[in-house]
Amino acid sequence: MEIKQSEFIISAVKPQQYPTDNRCEIAFVGRSNVGKSSLINSLTNRRKLAKVSGTPGKTRLINFFLINSSFYLVDLPGYGYAKVSKTEKASWGKIIETYLVKRPQLKKVVLLVDCRHKPTGDDIMMYEWIKHYGYDIAIVATKSDKLTKNELVKSEKLIRETLKLEKEKRIFYFSSLSKKGKEELLDNLFDICEDIQG
Ligand code: GTP
Ligand code: MG
């Protein structure tokens, strides 16, 4: 698919602030700093559509981006960031959960994991949870520019084992630095919303 147009619509905390036009949504979840916002910028060919930062915890609200005037990409706050207070963690968790639990127009959840690390307990929980709610899931391993070919092979094995992925389940490797893997993502992530929009 080609993204010709992308537009920031709203930052939301509460469901009352979510878009109400019933367009199809694809959400990006993962640990803080894993590269969710960077991936959205890469896919849309925009440098600053979603705010990116070296400091974890940049995205604190749910940001909705309208794509080709037809569906939304949804940038969620990251989880697992150690340096925030318990109260703040609980509030982020609630923001993410409230959105994911009851959102009929949400058609796919893209789970990002850092290819350099073993998926964390939070990642496993998130994966199980998304499956439990019956959402279509795509797994993206980010920052692939940081590993050699050999290391990438090991990384895939570790991610598969840790998340207990089914054999057929594909992991998309991606680098927002080199844009390697971008075409595969454009070809595979959005079909579900394209079909719905006709
Ligand atoms: P939160 O908003 O805190 O949840 O983080 P996020 O998941 O949106 O991460 P973000 O896109 O802000 O990226 C975090 C940091 O990782 C930034 O410094 C990015 O430049 C860097 N980064 C993201 N993707 C890649 C990648 O593919 N390769 C490399 N080398 N760095 C990356
Ligand atoms: Mg972000």
Side-chain angles (χ1 to χ4, degrees), residues 144-190:
S144 64
D145 52 275
K146 299 232 186 209
L147 294 185
T148 63
K149 266 192 185 159
N150 266 339
E151 290 169 330
L152 285 169
V153 174
K154 285 187 195 147
S155 140
E156 168 143 18
K157 191 161 176 277
L158 187 63
I159 296 172
R160 285 195 168 283
E161 283 172 4
T162 313
L163 295 180
K164 299 194 176 71
L165 298 188
E166 298 84 23
K167 261 207 185 110
E168 335 55 83
K169 188 81 191 160
R170 186 167 167 193
I171 301 178
F172 295 96
Y173 275 78
F174 178 72
S175 163
S176 71
L177 218 66
S178 70
K179 312 290 182 234
K180 193 157 183 250
K182 181 176 157 182
E183 289 311 313
E184 283 91 341
L185 287 174
L186 286 171
D187 287 345
N188 287 281
L189 288 189
F190 308 124

Side-chain angles (χ1 to χ4, degrees), residues 33 35-38 50-53 57-60 63 75-78:
N33 212 42
K36 299 176 292 297
S37 301
S38 302
K51 288 193 187 107
V52 167
S53 165
K58 184 67 187 173
T59 309
R60 299 193 174 208
N63 294 306
D75 191 11
L76 291 169

Side-chain angles (χ1 to χ4, degrees), residues 22-60:
N22 285 322
R23 286 188 166 98
C24 178
E25 293 174 0
I26 298 175
F28 294 76
V29 301
R31 279 170 67 199
S32 192
N33 212 42
V34 69
K36 299 176 292 297
S37 301
S38 302
L39 174 57
I40 290 178
N41 287 340
S42 300
L43 294 173
T44 53
N45 291 319
R46 300 271 301 269
R47 277 194 306 147
K48 292 182 181 165
L49 184 65
K51 288 193 187 107
V52 167
S53 165
T55 317
K58 184 67 187 173
T59 309
R60 299 193 174 208

